[in-house]
């Protein structure tokens, strides 16, 4: 009977974390259907909540281009190593990367007031390789926009930029 109570307590504690796992994984912005995303959050929340509770997600560091790139990679590595974030699902891992890349590209295009960039493909690399003051200012503006954000915040800010386009 004690084992049953222990298992029940574990699952009840996990139910408390379901909304946090759903929000942290930015499931509201994912391309799969609502049922799939809620199911993923329930699985991640109920069964894998210790993985969620006892980890600190890296944030984007917008102080310099090098720090931004490193924190971007660190965030993806973190997401790809956590069960609650879908690390066992290769589709989820590649979607995490796509969501971050699309968010970054959307903000580059949204902040490009002179409309020098026309396509999201390679927008960030074009900004980084640009030597003109315009591109350096654009790079800094984008990095400041994402500074201090975790995965969910990064995706949310990207969606805000999509709405501006």
């Amino acid at each position: 009977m004690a084992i049953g109570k222990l298992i029940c307590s574990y699952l009840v504690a996990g139910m408390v974390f379901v909304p946090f796992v759903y929000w942290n994984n930015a499931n509201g912005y994912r391309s799969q259907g609502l049922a799939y995303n809620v199911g993923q959050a329930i699985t991640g929340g109920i069964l894998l909540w210790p993985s969620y509770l006892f980890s600190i997600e890296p944030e984007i560091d917008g102080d310099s281009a090098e720090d931004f790139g490193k924190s971007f990679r660190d965030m993806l590595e973190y997401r790809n190593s956590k069960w609650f974030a879908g690390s066992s699902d290769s589709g989820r891992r590649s979607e995490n990367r796509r969501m971050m890349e699309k968010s970054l590209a959307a903000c580059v295009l949204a902040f490009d007031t002179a409309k020098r960039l026309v396509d999201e493909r390679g927008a960030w690399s074009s900004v980084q390789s640009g030597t003109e003051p315009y591109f350096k200012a654009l790079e800094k503006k984008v990095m400041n926009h994402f500074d201090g954000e975790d995965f969910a915040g990064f995706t949310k800010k990207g969606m805000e930029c999509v709405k501006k386009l």
Side-chain angles (χ1 to χ4, degrees):
M1 196 57 152
I3 286 283
K5 286 183 179 179
L6 183 65
I7 291 172
C8 185
S9 297
Y10 180 87
L11 295 176
V12 168
M15 281 301 290
V16 170
F17 290 101
V18 168
F20 298 108
V21 170
Y22 184 87
W23 172 78
N24 184 269
N25 283 328
N27 282 348
Y29 301 121
R30 293 193 180 271
S31 59
Q32 292 94 350
L34 178 65
Y36 178 88
N37 292 331
V38 169
Q40 192 275 336
I42 289 172
T43 303
I46 292 177
L47 301 177
L48 308 171
W49 65 268
S51 169
Y52 173 77
L53 182 64
F54 299 110
S55 65
I56 298 172
E57 185 163 7
E59 294 178 344
I60 293 295
D61 183 358
D63 294 339
S64 69
E66 294 79 20
D67 292 342
F68 185 84
K70 182 182 179 325
S71 61
F72 188 94
R73 287 186 301 278
D74 289 348
M75 186 178 289
L76 281 173
E77 288 173 14
Y78 170 86
R79 305 289 309 165
N80 292 339
S81 69
K82 297 299 175 196
W83 285 357
F84 72 84
S87 68
S88 62
D89 181 355
S90 63
R92 179 65 68 146
R93 287 192 307 270
S94 62
E95 188 175 30
N96 288 339
R97 178 177 204 85
R98 260 193 327 273
M99 288 172 71
M100 288 185 66
E101 289 173 347
K102 288 206 171 279
S103 294
L104 181 59
C107 287
V108 167
L109 294 175
F111 294 147
D112 178 22
T113 54
K115 301 300 179 204
R116 291 179 160 185
L117 303 168
V118 291
D119 189 15
E120 72 178 42
R121 277 188 253 155
W124 181 243
S125 58
S126 296
V127 168
Q128 286 187 304
S129 63
T131 56
E132 298 175 40
Y134 175 79
F135 287 115
K136 293 302 170 193
L138 180 58
E139 179 183 49
K140 188 65 179 163
K141 188 172 186 177
V142 170
M143 290 188 309
N144 286 339
H145 184 69
F146 289 116
D147 191 29
E149 295 295 337
D150 63 357
F151 179 77
F154 194 95
T155 305
K156 181 180 179 188
K157 291 224 175 188
M159 290 306 291
E160 291 168 3
C161 289
V162 166
K163 291 176 183 173
K164 292 178 184 177
L165 294 176

